[in-house]
Amino acid sequence: MSVNPSTQLPADPEHDPRASYAFEPEYVAALTNRIIATTGTGVTSYAPATGKPLAVIPQSSADDVKEAFARARRAQQAWARTSLDHRAELLLRLHDLVLDRQDEIIDLICWESGKARKHAFDEPLHIALTARYYARTAHDHLDTERRLGVIPGLTRAEVNRVPKGVVGIISPWNYPFTMALCDGIPALLAGNAVVTKPDAQTMLSALLGAQLLEEAGFPKDLWNVVAGPGRELGTPIIERSDYICFTGSTATGKLIAKQCADRLIGCSLELGGKNPILILRDADLDKAAEGAVRACFSNAGQLCVSTERMFVADQVYDRFKEKFVAATKAMKLSAGLEWGSDMGSLISQDQLDTVTAHVEDAVAKGATVLAGGKARPDLGPYYFEPTILEGVTPEMTCFGNETFGPVISLYRFHDEADAIARANDGEYGLNASIYSRDVKRARIVARQVKCGTVNINEAFGATFASIDAPMGGMRESGMGRRQGSEGIHRYTETQAVASQALLRFAPQFGLNDQQYARVMTTSLRLMKKMGRA
């Protein structure tokens, strides 16, 4: 049984501090009733842009996690027997629902995350792309495949893709609608059920995604939501999952990987980054400056693939810096749901404290602020200006540590080998960008950059929106991939099935063991001459 938050959430915020500033109780209740929670307790969520209350989120217990998995396992057994075409058709319905209700989705994302509307739009866009891609390519990824049999014409070998069972998804707050759904969509298509724990700060966006899945026709118990601190619910989720998908910090990802290893279950982890952008000497500087603004300041820098280190060729450094600083200073910051803002708020006081500390530390140790550099409480409690730093050195905190905010360090380089080496410095390897008019040469440079995704003449959208291409990190930025064939195959087990006709793998036709061995040896030599694998 779920807690009914409508009894906890009066409609008048002027008279009750727990009331919703933005939503009617009925709307909140329709979403939060989807949480499997029996503790009777709730935690209030707040709008980052204003600091005012949005909803009371019912909290789940370890027993609720157990119940979520019990429901999921029952639903998954029936779901795995449905046709692939039926599952794909439901994804196409989801595609249409997301596009039809994008204004509602974007409004909710803006309220919960504080991001600018144009950055919130990226989320329904990405989910529509993901749903359509997997629906249209379902058979390419999941149909039984013929493989070479050992004896031509007599051995028939096939590989089946069998669903794992129940997938546990722990999703973050920075892209609350996208990250709540994009990893689960291929899991459902592959025949799995899902138990998900979205971040506490942005539960409503994730719950709206769950509602849309049900409206598209997916069985309710196929997608189960629990809510609560990761330190309390993370282990119970891992203990019951057949596979774990996590997006978050490297430190937490390492702990999850260890727990998964103890159970011998797989996991995919998209973790931290200190992403570089390289502006080569032949770059289109106007295009590079525009792209750099998006690379650095989309969602106030709270994007796993956003840029925090920029390396600019000496030949164009001063000209590029002038254009980039001017474009950054021209950005419009504002609170609200309307179009027209270039950057929104940070998510919380913790994020604001981190960004402020990184900038103050850099300035105290000699860095120069070229743009921004300070909080903007006049706009909202967690606003911080888009900030460009020059002269950042290794002893400064922001040199190698992820800021996850609107702060970029600018560096000059003299030759590309040096730029590549500096881009590869550190333990991260998630995303990179390269700007050059010579795309062929930029692709050669890209192969030398130790990042899971590299964009040429684009900030991050070229790889992230190309759903057929894998997305994920190298080194301490993670393991596993979302999107493409890797993004769905991670949720399946491969099962080899082979049938044999006429001949057996043992002596027959009067041959003894030694004669059988000679015949097989001769056959192997013959097949090599014939060019067979």
Side-chain angles (χ1 to χ4, degrees):
M1 151 178 143
S2 300
V3 172
N4 184 349
S6 64
T7 63
Q8 303 182 31
L9 196 61
D12 187 357
E14 293 184 5
H15 297 93
D16 191 314
R18 295 194 304 168
S20 178
Y21 177 73
F23 310 115
E24 291 299 323
E26 294 78 14
Y27 182 78
V28 174
L31 297 177
T32 57
N33 281 344
R34 296 181 173 277
I35 301 172
I36 299 174
T38 59
T39 64
T41 61
V43 172
T44 302
S45 64
Y46 297 87
T50 63
K52 295 186 177 181
L54 290 179
V56 174
I57 306 300
Q59 298 296 283
S60 306
S61 65
D63 285 341
D64 293 321
V65 172
K66 181 179 179 180
E67 172 62 19
F69 275 90
R71 296 184 190 182
R73 293 210 178 276
R74 289 193 296 268
Q76 191 272 331
Q77 291 177 9
W79 178 248
R81 294 192 293 269
T82 62
S83 72
L84 190 55
D85 287 336
H86 174 65
R87 298 177 214 161
E89 178 60 32
L90 298 189
L91 286 186
L92 292 177
R93 291 185 200 170
L94 177 66
H95 171 278
D96 293 344
L97 277 171
V98 168
L99 294 182
D100 290 345
R101 293 174 61 180
Q102 63 178 286
D103 286 340
E104 175 190 356
I105 296 166
I106 293 170
D107 284 348
L108 192 50
I109 292 168
C110 289
W111 277 117
E112 282 202 300
S113 71
K115 66 177 63 176
R117 191 171 191 84
K118 68 178 181 180
H119 299 146
F121 169 71
D122 291 345
E123 302 203 39
L125 176 66
H126 185 258
I127 291 304
L129 284 170
T130 302
R132 176 165 51 84
Y133 167 79
Y134 280 113
R136 297 297 192 201
T137 61
H139 288 283
D140 295 336
H141 299 309
L142 297 174
D143 278 357
T144 295
E145 301 175 30
R146 282 288 298 270
R147 298 292 177 89
L148 290 174
V150 61
I151 301 177
L154 300 182
T155 309
R156 179 187 175 106
E158 297 177 340
V159 174
N160 298 322
R161 292 281 177 179
V162 180
K164 293 276 190 180
V166 180
V167 173
I169 298 177
I170 302 173
S171 61
W173 50 261
N174 60 328
Y175 277 73
F177 186 76
T178 287
M179 292 296 130
L181 290 183
C182 71
D183 290 312
I185 284 172
L188 295 181
L189 182 65
N192 299 280
V194 169
V195 173
T196 178
K197 191 198 83 64
D199 190 274
Q201 298 170 99
T202 51
M203 284 292 301
L204 298 182
S205 298
L207 290 166
L208 179 56
Q211 182 185 86
L212 293 176
L213 285 169
E214 186 175 344
E215 290 183 19
F218 290 93
K220 182 177 181 179
D221 286 344
L222 200 65
W223 188 278
N224 299 273
V225 184
V226 293
R231 62 182 177 275
E232 295 178 12
L233 301 188
T235 295
I237 290 172
I238 295 169
E239 287 175 345
R240 290 174 172 81
S241 295
D242 299 306
Y243 188 92
I244 288 288
C245 180
F246 170 76
T247 303
S249 72
T250 296
T252 301
K254 288 181 177 180
L255 295 175
I256 290 174
K258 290 177 182 177
Q259 290 182 280
C260 290
D262 287 341
R263 292 199 55 232
L264 293 179
I265 63 170
C267 62
S268 55
L269 312 168
E270 190 208 294
L271 309 177
K274 193 71 177 176
N275 304 310
I277 184 170
L278 281 67
I279 312 296
L280 305 187
R281 64 183 180 273
D282 64 341
D284 179 327
L285 299 187
D286 290 325
K287 188 174 185 177
E290 183 278 331
V293 168
R294 288 185 290 110
C296 303
F297 306 127
S298 290
N299 194 24
Q302 300 168 120
L303 173 60
C304 297
V305 293
S306 65
T307 295
E308 296 192 8
R309 300 180 295 148
M310 185 175 297
F311 302 96
V312 185
D314 183 69
Q315 296 91 335
V316 297
Y317 184 89
D318 292 329
R319 285 182 290 144
F320 172 80
K321 181 174 75 171
E322 181 181 359
K323 292 177 181 291
F324 180 45
V325 169
T328 300
K329 288 183 175 180
M331 291 176 65
K332 178 183 177 182
L333 277 65
S334 63
L337 304 182
E338 297 78 20
W339 297 96
S341 176
D342 293 316
M343 196 182 88
S345 173
L346 293 167
I347 186 72
S348 66
Q349 185 66 47
D350 284 346
Q351 289 301 119
L352 178 63
D353 290 345
T354 297
V355 172
T356 302
H358 280 206
V359 173
E360 290 180 348
D361 172 78
V363 171
K365 293 174 180 175
T368 300
V369 177
L370 301 179
K374 60 183 185 295
R376 291 291 303 275
D378 55 309
L379 296 174
Y382 311 132
Y383 277 81
F384 198 95
E385 294 176 332
T387 299
I388 305 172
L389 299 176
E390 190 177 46
V392 172
T393 54
E395 65 269 15
M396 301 174 188
T397 304
C398 69
F399 179 84
N401 294 294
E402 185 178 32
T403 303
F404 216 63
V407 180
I408 179 72
S409 301
L410 208 54
Y411 304 93
R412 185 190 299 261
F413 72 83
H414 301 289
D415 64 80
E416 288 175 9
D418 174 56
I420 294 166
R422 292 161 71 183
N424 289 335
D425 189 33
E427 298 302 321
Y428 292 120
L430 186 55
N431 180 62
S433 301
I434 301 170
Y435 277 82
S436 170
R437 285 187 171 91
D438 187 343
V439 174
K440 182 178 179 180
R441 185 166 64 88
R443 288 184 178 276
I444 294 172
V445 172
R447 291 179 65 88
Q448 301 172 66
V449 176
K450 296 179 181 177
C451 287
T453 56
V454 181
N455 298 265
I456 296 173
N457 295 327
E458 169 53 32
F460 56 82
T463 54
F464 202 88
S466 298
I467 309 297
D468 195 41
M471 186 269 164
M474 298 181 182
R475 301 186 288 179
E476 291 204 356
S477 287
M479 56 187 289
R481 296 289 185 270
R482 64 167 53 96
Q483 303 189 168
S485 59
E486 293 92 331
I488 191 167
H489 286 168
R490 58 181 166 164
Y491 299 129
T492 65
E493 299 282 6
T494 54
Q495 179 193 56
V497 178
S499 58
Q500 184 67 27
L502 298 180
L503 297 179
R504 63 176 182 257
F505 293 100
Q508 61 187 74
F509 307 121
L511 298 178
N512 59 33
D513 289 340
Q514 184 177 18
Q515 292 168 329
Y516 169 75
R518 288 174 181 168
V519 169
M520 292 302 292
T521 299
T522 300
S523 299
L524 292 175
R525 294 187 190 281
L526 178 61
M527 283 192 278
K528 181 196 172 188
K529 288 182 179 181
M530 295 171 60
R532 184 174 173 82

